[in-house]
């Protein structure tokens, strides 16, 4: 009886999600999921920091029973995220990885997954070490080429997992083309859209079945929480994910959801500034003599700039660049920055930088790293929303330190040669 009532209310929520998806994006960021508290009129949705809910009588609850199953603060965020993605329903998880794991748990032994080859390190770690243990096989392909994806599909393929733009190389995949392919072969298409955010890209509107975010990054935007979410328009996928969420319990705290919802309200403004700053920094780096290569979807030198223009409403705040002088130059640059933080995350208001060869990918054997395009001098910059001049000045002074170090090396090697 009770589950029957729940089913109906999910269907109703789907209908509701569709009708409210028509308002402007910035309006949705501020208002979606906001229910004004009828008892106090509080303009901000109250924080329901509670584990459980009192039932008025046996067999009847007021929509919530236990926070592992659902919580009003979490539900408000799930509604907001779903509306930002253009409709559907959201499932919020305790981290981006918990969200990927929830998707993975929809599959079982014998199933095959095709995955982007330049994928977030945690995702390949999960697929290679945990999925493989349950008899799920994975093929990594360059998903920027739909023909290669088609070649990798086998009769056992159930899921196509695409990251776009990728971390850290900022490669793009054509979601529209991949979704046509996935539909043709009866495969679920999941898109990790953490770098783009719904401000720049709404994968569900291009036919993806699941969109995933590490809400740790741009969605929350303030380096306060770890979180993840999946959004889907498929009722069966939603029910599957919801069941996994409730059963496994990798749920976020109500407080984390409440903070995330506060962060989302400024998503449009932040993404505009991230994109403006990053476009300028990308141009600055591209003309710098110590920089051999800059990857930014907004540069005409990006190999998929045309696709970026077609598919993205903004080019975002992430830049990857390569320094002449390899590993040592990368380390010198990192150690010389003052404003830009040396930190492994991305997508927050603070500018942050990482050096994959010495940080995120230090465990990957060098040959494998190089084969994946992660060279020794590669640097990933998450451009924050600070004053552009200050970000540029910090880079300028750190690049100066790299030049001085390279000159010192030349002098000492000349001395050695002479000795
Ligand atoms: C950070 C990140 C993840 C993992 O999210 P967590 O919140 O750190 O668990 C997944 N995908 C991408 C693209 C990411 O950047």
């Amino acid at each position: 009886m009770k589950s029957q009532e729940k089913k109906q209310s999910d269907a109703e929520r789907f209908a509701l999600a569709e009708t409210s998806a028509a308002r402007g994006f910035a309006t949705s960021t501020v208002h979606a999921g906001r229910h004004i508290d009828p008892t106090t009129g509080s303009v901000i949705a109250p924080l329901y920091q509670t584990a459980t809910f009192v039932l008025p009588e046996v067999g009847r609850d007021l929509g919530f029973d236990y926070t592992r199953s659902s919580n009003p603060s979490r539900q408000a965020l799930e509604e907001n995220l779903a509306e930002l993605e253009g409709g559907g329903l959201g499932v919020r998880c305790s981290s981006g990885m918990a969200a990927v794991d929830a998707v993975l748990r929809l599959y079982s032994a014998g199933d095959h997954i095709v995955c982007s080859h330049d994928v977030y390190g945690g995702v390949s770690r999960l697929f290679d070490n945990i999925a493989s243990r349950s008899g799920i096989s994975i093929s990594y392909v360059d998903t920027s080429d739909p023909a290669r994806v088609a070649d990798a599909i086998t009769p056992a393929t159930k899921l196509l997992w695409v990251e776009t733009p990728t971390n850290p190389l900022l490669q793009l995949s054509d979601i529209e083309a991949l979704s046509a392919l996935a539909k043709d072969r009866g495969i679920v298409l999941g898109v990790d859209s953490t770098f783009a955010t719904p401000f720049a890209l709404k994968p569900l509107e291009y036919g993806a079945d699941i969109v995933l975010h590490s809400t740790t990054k741009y969605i929350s935007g303030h380096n306060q929480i770890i979180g993840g979410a999946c959004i889907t328009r498929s009722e069966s996928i939603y029910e599957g994910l919801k069941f996994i969420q409730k059963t496994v319990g990798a749920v976020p705290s109500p407080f984390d959801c409440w903070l995330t919802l506060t962060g989302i309200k400024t998503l449009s403004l932040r993404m505009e500034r991230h994109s403006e700053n990053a476009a300028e920094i990308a141009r600055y780096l591209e003309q710098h003599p110590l920089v051999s290569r800059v990857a930014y979807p907004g540069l005409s030198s990006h190999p998929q700039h045309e696709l970026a223009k077609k598919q993205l409403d903004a080019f975002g705040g992430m830049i990857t660049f390569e320094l002449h002088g390899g590993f040592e130059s990368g380390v010198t640059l990192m150690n010389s920055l003052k404003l830009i933080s040396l930190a492994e995350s991305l997508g927050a208001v603070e500018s942050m930088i990482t050096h994959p060869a010495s940080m995120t990918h230090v465990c990957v054997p060098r040959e494998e790293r190089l084969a994946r395009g992660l060279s020794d001098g590669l640097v990933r910059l998450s451009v924050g929303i600070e004053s552009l001049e200050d970000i540029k000045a910090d880079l300028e002074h750190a690049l100066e330190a790299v030049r001085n170090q390279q000159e010192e090396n030349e002098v000492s090697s000349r001395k050695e040669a002479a000795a």
Side-chain angles (χ1 to χ4, degrees):
M1 183 64 212
K2 190 162 163 256
S3 71
Q4 186 64 27
E5 280 171 20
K6 272 249 161 76
K7 273 247 145 42
Q8 271 174 352
S9 81
D10 279 348
E12 280 165 17
R13 289 171 60 210
F14 265 104
L16 206 70
E18 261 168 50
T19 54
S20 53
R23 53 186 167 183
F25 184 81
T27 308
S28 295
T29 59
V30 177
H31 291 273
R34 194 175 81 126
H35 305 288
I36 291 168
D37 177 19
T39 53
T40 65
S42 164
V43 70
I44 296 293
L47 165 59
Y48 292 90
Q49 188 67 45
T50 184
T52 191
F53 301 83
V54 177
L55 310 187
E57 61 181 331
V58 172
R60 184 164 71 91
D61 60 40
L62 300 173
F64 301 92
D65 52 14
Y66 188 59
T67 283
R68 176 155 38 72
S69 302
S70 62
N71 174 286
S73 298
R74 189 163 90 222
Q75 193 171 301
L77 174 58
E78 290 171 341
E79 283 174 20
N80 181 291
L81 285 171
E83 187 171 315
L84 297 192
E85 290 293 351
L89 285 182
V91 176
R92 175 68 158 71
C93 302
S94 57
S95 68
M97 287 315 305
V100 182
D101 182 59
V103 174
L104 182 63
R105 283 170 194 268
L106 296 170
Y107 301 95
S108 45
D111 290 345
H112 175 243
I113 299 173
V114 174
C115 178
S116 299
H117 68 163
D118 180 38
V119 74
Y120 178 73
V123 173
S124 53
R125 185 167 58 208
L126 178 75
F127 284 178
D128 294 343
N129 297 287
I130 311 253
S132 57
R133 250 193 255 161
S134 8
I136 298 170
S137 59
I138 324 283
S139 301
Y140 294 98
V141 296
D142 178 358
T143 51
S144 67
D145 181 355
R148 291 200 199 181
V149 175
D151 285 347
I153 292 171
T154 74
T157 308
K158 296 281 168 61
L159 174 68
L160 170 57
W161 191 254
V162 174
E163 194 173 302
T164 182
T166 61
N167 179 5
L169 295 173
L170 300 168
Q171 289 165 352
L172 305 186
S173 292
D174 185 340
I175 301 173
E176 207 170 4
L178 293 177
S179 119
L181 177 64
K183 288 211 166 38
D184 184 50
R185 308 287 182 96
I187 299 168
V188 168
L189 171 62
V191 176
D192 183 338
S193 192
T194 298
F195 273 34
T197 83
F199 178 78
L201 174 69
K202 295 179 186 64
L204 300 181
E205 296 191 344
Y206 286 104
D209 301 292
I210 303 171
V211 53
L212 179 131
H213 290 287
S214 166
T215 54
T216 312
K217 317 290 169 54
Y218 289 107
I219 296 281
S220 68
H222 294 76
N223 271 333
Q224 297 166 315
I225 62 106
I226 297 286
C230 296
I231 299 100
T232 180
R233 291 178 187 172
S234 150
E235 202 159 344
S236 65
I237 293 174
Y238 174 73
E239 295 296 343
L241 292 172
K242 197 74 193 152
F243 179 78
I244 290 159
Q245 180 194 42
K246 167 171 132 176
T247 306
V248 176
V251 294
S253 74
F255 184 48
D256 282 4
C257 295
W258 186 86
L259 279 175
T260 304
L261 201 50
T262 303
I264 287 180
K265 290 177 197 290
T266 56
L267 181 66
S268 290
L269 293 173
R270 286 188 283 109
M271 290 311 290
E272 273 167 26
R273 177 64 84 87
H274 281 299
S275 302
E276 273 169 34
N277 278 356
E280 282 298 318
I281 297 292
R283 274 194 285 274
Y284 161 73
L285 290 170
E286 196 171 45
Q287 53 74 44
H288 199 286
L290 282 179
V291 176
S292 56
R293 184 169 64 101
V294 179
Y296 182 66
L299 289 177
S300 55
S301 58
H302 190 285
Q304 292 152 302
H305 182 59
E306 289 310 312
L307 175 61
K309 281 198 291 190
K310 190 179 112 193
Q311 198 174 256
L312 300 174
D313 292 330
F315 299 124
M318 298 303 300
I319 301 174
T320 300
F321 63 99
E322 171 119 30
L323 288 172
H324 288 299
F327 190 88
E328 194 182 3
S329 295
V331 171
T332 305
L333 180 90
M334 304 286 126
N335 287 339
S336 309
L337 291 164
K338 293 192 168 78
L339 176 75
I340 302 171
S341 310
L342 184 56
E344 295 216 339
S345 198
L346 62 102
V349 289
E350 300 89 2
S351 291
M352 292 179 285
I353 198 158
T354 55
H355 179 217
S358 71
M359 295 169 72
T360 49
H361 292 73
V362 74
C363 298
V364 181
R366 187 163 179 270
E367 295 74 59
E368 198 185 316
R369 249 198 303 115
L370 296 182
R372 284 177 55 183
L374 304 170
S375 57
D376 289 338
L378 195 78
V379 173
R380 188 193 75 191
L381 176 62
S382 171
V383 181
I385 64 165
E386 302 98 333
S387 304
L388 176 64
E389 299 70 35
D390 294 331
I391 303 171
K392 211 188 258 183
D394 200 35
L395 282 168
E396 204 147 85
H397 125 98
L399 285 163
E400 184 69 24
V402 173
R403 201 168 59 102
N404 291 340
Q405 167 251 311
Q406 289 182 357
E407 278 172 9
E408 272 168 37
N409 286 357
E410 269 168 42
V411 170
S412 56
S413 62
R414 247 184 275 130
K415 273 189 194 149
E416 266 169 40

